[in-house]
Amino acid sequence: MTLTQKRMILLLAVMVIAFILGRLAMRAFMNFLLGGTLFGGNFL
């Protein structure tokens, strides 16, 4: 594998991880604003 191919694969992996973490952070923020539980359970 060439260096360019390795860079592209690494960049793609970082983008996927950032996308997932960004969605989770946005969900946590919206749940905090709306007063819900993050993962849907009623633990009280």
Side-chain angles (χ1 to χ4, degrees), residues 2-3 8 11 21-22 24 28 42-43:
T2 64
L3 187 62
M8 290 303 289
L11 183 63
L21 288 178
L24 186 62
N42 186 5
F43 55 85

Side-chain angles (χ1 to χ4, degrees), residues 18-36:
F19 177 74
I20 291 170
L21 288 178
R23 281 185 52 99
L24 186 62
M26 189 66 204
R27 217 174 128 186
F29 179 68
M30 290 303 289
N31 266 311
F32 177 70
L33 284 181
L34 298 172

